[in-house]
Amino acid sequence: MLKEFKEFIMRGNVLDMAIGIIIGASFSAIINSLVNDILMPPIGFILNGVDFSNFFLVLKEGAAPPPYETLAIAKEAGAVTLNYGLFINALISFLIVAFAVFLIVKAVNKLHKAEEEAETEPATKECPFCFMEIPANATCCPHCTSKLPS
């Protein structure tokens, strides 16, 4: 059983997946910083100082009575809150990650398509004069010595 587990772990797919997960976690941290530190402050500024992370609904009051100015104050008071502003931030992060993954997949697909097209180009063609098979790049037929049209 230990031998089978070792073979499973040493497969290329498992190692590739592990590397992808590690890079994905790092990428997620970068995207979260991009959303929270770069994108949301200007959006909040444009919307007259709105901070999405402080959008919440109080479901149950805490020890201190509402209103709570920020989510941190509400949590400190022990209030039960519905944090839809944090959800908006997470949704924006998801959309950025999804778009980045889309761009990567699109680029990889384009590379694969170019490789496939290069592989599908015929290596030979038929001479129009003697009908013998000749190299595709030939300009003169080696069989009948005819000059080939370009």
Side-chain angles (χ1 to χ4, degrees):
M1 183 142 158
L2 186 59
K3 183 181 175 187
E4 286 178 300
F5 179 71
K6 182 179 175 184
E7 288 174 5
F8 172 75
I9 291 298
M10 296 309 288
R11 282 188 182 159
N13 294 348
V14 174
L15 293 175
D16 291 345
M17 184 177 66
I19 291 168
I21 290 170
I22 292 167
I23 290 173
S26 298
F27 190 64
S28 176
I30 291 169
I31 294 301
N32 285 336
S33 177
L34 174 69
V35 170
N36 294 331
D37 303 329
I38 306 289
L39 294 178
M40 295 313 278
I43 291 172
F45 177 74
I46 291 170
L47 299 174
N48 294 326
V50 174
D51 180 10
F52 286 101
S53 63
N54 282 319
F55 283 9
F56 62 95
L57 293 173
V58 177
L59 300 176
K60 181 181 175 195
E61 295 179 9
Y68 307 110
E69 291 184 28
T70 65
L71 180 60
I73 294 171
K75 288 197 179 262
E76 189 177 301
V80 177
T81 58
L82 181 69
N83 307 320
Y84 65 91
L86 294 176
F87 177 75
I88 291 171
N89 283 350
L91 184 62
I92 291 171
S93 295
F94 170 77
L95 292 174
I96 290 171
V97 170
F99 185 69
V101 169
F102 166 76
L103 292 176
I104 291 169
V105 169
K106 184 176 178 181
V108 169
N109 286 342
K110 188 175 184 180
L111 287 174
H112 284 300
K113 186 176 180 183
E115 288 176 2
E116 288 174 4
E117 287 175 358
E119 290 174 1
T120 59
E121 288 181 13
T124 61
K125 64 181 178 182
E126 192 176 80
C127 173
F129 301 103
C130 67
F131 302 106
M132 296 293 292
E133 194 170 290
I134 59 173
N137 296 333
T139 57
C140 182
C141 178
H143 303 288
C144 68
T145 67
S146 299
K147 182 86 170 145
L148 299 173
S150 24

